[in-house]
């Protein structure tokens, strides 16, 4: 089983350690875990401080069933990150097929591949499990929420999925609710009764008469956090609970009562530590020392952990902690009131600490919180390629979009150029053009994060990627990029590949072939597998153009080995390898093998847009030739229509327009049969994975920015071309053909 491409936080994959003094919630646990007929999905929805996590932690400790646990944070809004944590959590309680991690490593479709494989794992588990998603409200990514909703549909009898959040999660699970397959809990169920309130107050060191407990419970409405904060306030004042009638079962009394009653009575040193460290989550002694520019923070944390239930341990060694969310918000508000000018400096020191330890993602988060655009830009530049190569494209896109939204791309040519280089790979053609224009107008002085001495190299590579000014300019820019990029840059192998492609487009075929061979060897040495597979595919296409079928087959086989070994099956650039393989198979009289390769290419084709025009057109030309070899005029015609649409946007692609015209002439002599699988369009292929989900046509349209009518029209076309009559049948047929 392949290890995740990024480091996982162990504290996210297990319940927090139990705490002395926590009130047992046995009655609620009995409700959650009946002896039989357990509902498959449980919603626990309440504001901060109602004991959601405490309840789940106690349940996990008592249950005979294993718990798979994922504590959600903002970084999980990348589908690859979230699904990796989910797969890891499931793998710890049940046998998990290695194909799940392989799909994640290969950048496979979340909707069409990863979620179905994880769903199958859930549906076929031998042992009943409980799967907890804690703090689900921190997810706002539609693909991530859709994935969890889809997994909820696969929970089998005896197992349960628990969703804990502030407010109602934005999950489309109405069908489960309508069938009575969900149990929902809120403040009414979570509130403490008088007996439980007495236990909590006693554990906090406050001994009250029954009448006082009853009054306090009534006015806090059984809110556990309110009761505990009131106890701390009473202890701090030394006068007992004197203002119980001002309490309410919401957050208002925190500001109205507890700030003067609790925080103002704490020792000055402790208050300063609490408020200043409230910018951190999580926190450790060394981190707090660095941020506060003091010593002995570890001792302070240890002391607080023994006296304050709002400091939550994250491990069993007493190294890492976090504040309860409600308490942290209270402390942060007080810091903003008392020392507003200090907040930015504290956040900057936290970013310093994490950057010095190479934890760039966390450092970027603190720099964003501090509003330090220049620092975020620098850190994103340093970590962009490693993040992208680990499969976390959504994380990188989120950083770029944040910088774009804060105007950083207009002032920093390096970040704008970086965005312009990556946008074509993401298929974001419109942004590629806009970001490219910003990069050309912006300025940058000094050495770039990859060691390149001048911004001109990145700008040249950016222009090469989109080929907006034609093949001749692409060749000149490629030569400039190769000449000026730092040799240690992660962009270096890609620049060399682009140079070879530019040579090929401008007619220097022999020179291009030699360079592809040279770059393949160099890229293999440094582990740039994608560059290796592209070079081998390009050499295979050149060999086919010369009639060198044996050489093309050898090159394609080498490329297939690289793709399998490096889990590149779902990378868009692998589609050219499959196209070459399909042509070779068709030539040697293996139509079935050709169809297998064509289906793999079809699955990826929609991700090749005019943002990478030369590669998108070349791949479709090779696919058209493969279809022609199989006497499939419909498939060839579809490929040519798509190439012609790209050429209308990028007309100057060197020798490619002439190849399109030649193929069009050949196709005109053929009779095109009725539309079939090979005639699925880009739009239909983009829609196809969504048909395998729980989403309605309206919801799919929202994800793809299409009207419900358009989605329905595409779906009907898919049914017709797959020769089926329903959505489920279309999904089954697509899986049989390898399109999903």
């Amino acid at each position: 089983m392949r290890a995740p491409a990024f480091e996982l936080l162990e504290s996210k994959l297990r319940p927090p350690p139990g705490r002395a003094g926590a009130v047992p919630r046995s009655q609620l646990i009995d409700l959650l875990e009946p002896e039989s007929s357990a509902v498959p999905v449980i919603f626990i929805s309440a504001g901060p401080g109602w004991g959601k996590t405490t309840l789940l932690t106690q349940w996990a400790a008592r249950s005979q069933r294993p718990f798979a646990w994922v504590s959600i944070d903002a970084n999980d809004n990348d589908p690859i990150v979230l699904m990796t944590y989910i797969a890891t959590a499931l793998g710890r309680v049940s046998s998990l097929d290695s194909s799940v991690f392989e799909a994640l490593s290969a950048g496979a479709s979340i909707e069409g591949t990863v979620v179905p494989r994880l769903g199958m794992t859930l549906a076929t588990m031998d042992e009943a499990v409980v799967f907890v998603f804690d703090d689900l409200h921190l997810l706002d990514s539609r693909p991530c929420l859709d994935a969890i909703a889809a997994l909820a549909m696969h929970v089998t009898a005896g197992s349960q999925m628990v969703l804990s959040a502030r407010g109602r999660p934005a999950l489309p699970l109405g069908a489960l609710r309508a069938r009575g397959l969900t149990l929902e809990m809120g403040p009414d169920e979570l509130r403490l009764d008088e007996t439980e309130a007495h236990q909590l107050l006693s554990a906090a060191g406050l001994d009250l008469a029954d009448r006082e407990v009853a009054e306090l419970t009534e006015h806090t409405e059984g809110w556990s956090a309110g009761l505990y904060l009131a106890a701390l306030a009473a202890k701090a004042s030394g006068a007992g609970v004197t203002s119980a009638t001002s309490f309410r079962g919401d957050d208002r009394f925190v500001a109205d009562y507890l700030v003067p009653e609790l925080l103002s009575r704490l020792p000055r040193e402790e208050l300063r530590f609490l408020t200043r460290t409230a910018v951190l989550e999580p926190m450790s002694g060394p981190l707090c020392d660095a941020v506060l520019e003091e010593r002995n923070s570890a001792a302070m944390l240890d002391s607080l952990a023994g006296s304050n239930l709002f400091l939550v341990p994250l491990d069993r060694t007493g190294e890492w902690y976090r504040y309860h969310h409600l308490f942290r918000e209270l402390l942060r508000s007080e810091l903003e009131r008392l020392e507003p000018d200090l907040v930015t400096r504290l956040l900057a020191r936290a970013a310093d600490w994490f950057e010095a330890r190479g934890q760039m993602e966390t450092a970027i988060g603190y720099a964003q919180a501090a509003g330090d655009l220049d620092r975020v830009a620098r850190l994103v530049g340093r970590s962009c390629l490693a993040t992208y190569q680990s499969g976390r494209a959504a994380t990188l896109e989120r950083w770029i979009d944040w910088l774009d939204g804060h105007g950083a791309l207009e002032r920093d040519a390096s970040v704008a150029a970086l965005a312009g280089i990556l946008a074509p790979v993401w298929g974001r053609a419109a942004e590629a053009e806009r970001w490219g224009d910003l990069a050309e107008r912006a300025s940058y002085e000094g050495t770039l994060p990859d060691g390149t001495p001048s911004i001109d190299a990145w700008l040249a590579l950016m222009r090469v990627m989109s080929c907006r000014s034609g093949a001749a300019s692409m060749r000149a820019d490629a030569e400039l990029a190769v000449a000026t990029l730092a040799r240690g840059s992660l962009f270096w192998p890609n620049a060399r590949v682009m140079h070879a492609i530019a040579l090929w487009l401008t007619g220097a075929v022999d020179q291009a072939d030699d360079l592809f061979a040279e770059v393949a060897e160099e890229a293999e040495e440094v582990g740039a597998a994608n560059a290796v597979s592209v070079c081998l595919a390009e050499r295979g296409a050149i060999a086919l153009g010369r009639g060198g079928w044996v050489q093309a087959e050898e090159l394609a086989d080498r490329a297939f080995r690289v793709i399998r070994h490096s889990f590149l099956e779902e990378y868009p650039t692998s589609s050219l390898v499959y196209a070459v393989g399909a042509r070779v198979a068709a030539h040697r009289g293996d139509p079935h093998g050709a169809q297998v390769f064509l289906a793999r290419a079809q699955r990826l084709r929609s991700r090749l847009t005019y943002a990478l025009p030369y590669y998108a057109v070349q791949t479709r030309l090779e696919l058209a030739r493969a279809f022609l070899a199989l006497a499939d005029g419909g498939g060839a015609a579809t490929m040519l229509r798509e190439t012609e649409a790209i050429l209308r946007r990028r007309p100057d692609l060197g020798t490619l327009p002439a190849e399109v015209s030649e193929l069009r002439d050949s196709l005109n002599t053929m009779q095109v049969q009725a539309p079939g699988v090979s005639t699925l369009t880009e739009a239909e292929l983009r829609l196809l994975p969504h048909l395998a989900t729980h989403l309605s046509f309206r919801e799919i349209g929202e994800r793809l920015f299409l009207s419900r009518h358009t989605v329905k029209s595409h779906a009907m076309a898919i049914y017709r071309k797959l020769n089926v009559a329903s959505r489920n049948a279309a999904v089954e047929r697509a899986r049989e053909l390898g399109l999903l």
Side-chain angles (χ1 to χ4, degrees), residues 39 63 68 72 96 99 104 156 177 306 312 354 368 381 461 465 473 499 548 560 660 716 726:
V39 295
S63 179
I72 301 295
L96 189 67
S99 67
L104 286 164
T156 55
R177 188 177 296 111
V312 181
F354 283 104
Q368 287 176 317
L461 182 58
M465 298 292 289
S473 294
H499 184 204
F560 295 145
V660 173
M716 294 302 105
S726 69

Side-chain angles (χ1 to χ4, degrees), residues 215-216 219-220 241-250 252-254 256-258 261:
E215 184 179 9
L216 189 56
H219 287 285
T220 58
V241 179
T242 59
S243 302
T245 57
S246 68
F247 291 1
R248 294 292 182 270
D250 56 30
R252 280 307 311 160
F253 91 92
V254 174
D256 295 343
Y257 175 81
L258 289 175
E261 288 293 322

Side-chain angles (χ1 to χ4, degrees), residues 190-522:
L190 293 169
R191 68 178 75 254
L192 302 181
D193 60 24
E194 291 179 21
T195 300
E196 292 169 326
H198 195 282
Q199 289 179 280
L200 185 150
L201 294 169
S202 296
L206 188 65
D207 189 17
L208 298 178
D210 291 345
R211 179 186 57 79
E212 292 176 300
V213 172
E215 184 179 9
L216 189 56
T217 304
E218 178 183 355
H219 287 285
T220 58
E221 299 180 8
W223 184 27
S224 55
L227 286 160
Y228 186 69
L229 283 168
L232 293 183
K235 288 171 61 180
S237 68
V241 179
T242 59
S243 302
T245 57
S246 68
F247 291 1
R248 294 292 182 270
D250 56 30
D251 296 1
R252 280 307 311 160
F253 91 92
V254 174
D256 295 343
Y257 175 81
L258 289 175
V259 169
E261 288 293 322
L262 170 57
L263 298 185
S264 65
R265 298 178 185 276
L266 292 176
R268 184 173 181 178
E269 178 185 0
E270 185 174 326
L271 176 63
R272 184 177 61 185
F273 180 90
L274 289 169
T275 56
R276 291 183 178 182
T277 55
V279 301
L280 303 172
E281 187 173 6
M283 56 189 170
S284 67
L287 172 59
C288 292
D289 282 345
V291 170
L292 302 179
E293 295 185 332
E294 296 178 357
R295 296 183 178 180
N296 301 319
S297 295
M300 178 66 81
L301 288 171
D302 185 61
S303 174
L304 287 171
S307 62
N308 190 329
L309 290 179
F310 284 125
L311 186 65
V312 181
L314 296 178
D315 54 37
R316 303 183 188 281
T317 61
E319 182 180 3
W320 286 94
Y321 300 87
R322 70 165 175 84
Y323 289 123
H324 185 284
H325 300 311
L326 175 70
F327 195 55
R328 182 174 182 245
E329 291 165 7
L330 167 64
L331 295 173
R332 182 65 186 266
S333 175
E334 191 70 357
L335 176 64
E336 297 279 1
R337 186 181 71 83
L338 295 174
E339 301 179 289
D341 296 335
L342 185 60
V343 174
T344 299
R345 294 203 300 275
L346 295 172
L347 291 167
R349 292 171 194 162
D352 288 339
W353 193 84
F354 283 104
E355 181 181 356
R357 283 152 184 79
Q359 298 181 40
M360 295 302 175
E361 190 166 340
T362 307
I364 288 170
Y366 280 110
Q368 287 176 317
D372 190 342
L373 302 186
D374 293 336
R375 182 174 201 153
V376 174
R378 176 175 59 80
L379 293 176
V380 169
R382 283 183 57 187
S383 56
C384 66
L385 284 178
T387 302
Y388 184 75
Q389 289 176 339
S390 71
R392 293 174 291 161
T395 295
L396 186 51
E397 287 189 74
R398 198 166 64 246
W399 290 339
I400 295 292
D401 287 337
W402 185 90
L403 288 166
D404 188 21
H406 287 76
L409 301 189
E410 299 175 6
R411 52 191 274 190
D412 189 323
S414 69
V415 183
L418 172 65
I421 290 169
L422 293 174
V425 181
W426 296 333
R428 297 178 64 174
E431 287 88 347
E433 295 190 1
R434 183 169 64 84
W435 292 340
D437 291 338
L438 289 175
E440 298 285 4
R441 293 197 300 267
S443 60
Y444 185 88
E445 300 295 333
T447 302
L448 290 157
D450 65 345
T452 297
S454 169
I455 188 62
D456 291 338
W458 280 22
L459 292 174
L461 182 58
M462 178 191 71
R463 292 191 294 267
V464 168
M465 298 292 289
S466 61
C467 195
R468 291 171 64 183
S469 300
S473 294
M474 177 185 174
R475 179 170 174 175
D477 283 325
E479 291 170 352
L480 174 61
V482 169
T484 54
L485 273 171
R487 294 300 178 268
S489 170
L490 291 175
F491 286 134
W492 170 250
N494 293 330
R496 296 264 283 163
V497 172
M498 293 297 104
H499 184 204
I501 291 175
L503 290 171
W504 173 73
L505 286 176
T506 52
V509 179
D510 292 339
Q511 191 177 350
D513 192 27
D514 291 341
L515 185 54
F516 280 129
E518 182 181 325
V519 175
E521 292 183 8
E522 294 176 356

Side-chain angles (χ1 to χ4, degrees), residues 3 53 106 137 203 316 356 365 391 463 497 504 592 612 682 699 727:
T53 301
H137 58 274
R316 303 183 188 281
R463 292 191 294 267
V497 172
W504 173 73
H592 174 73
L612 278 175
E682 287 181 74
E699 291 166 335
R727 179 170 173 173

Side-chain angles (χ1 to χ4, degrees), residues 32 38-44 56 59 65-68 70 83 86 90 115 118-119 122-123 128-134 136 144-164 171 173 176 181-184:
L32 292 171
V39 295
V41 177
I42 297 171
F43 285 115
I44 302 180
L56 295 176
W59 182 16
R65 293 178 294 175
F67 270 56
V70 177
M83 301 310 287
I86 292 175
L90 282 176
V115 170
L118 279 172
L122 272 175
V129 302
V130 179
F131 200 161
V132 173
F133 292 96
D134 199 19
L136 192 66
C144 291
L145 290 167
D146 287 344
I148 290 177
L151 290 177
M153 306 296 182
H154 292 277
V155 179
T156 55
S159 292
Q160 291 172 291
M161 178 180 289
V162 185
L163 311 172
S164 173
L171 293 171
L173 294 179
L176 284 174
L181 298 179
T182 61
L183 171 67
E184 301 187 43

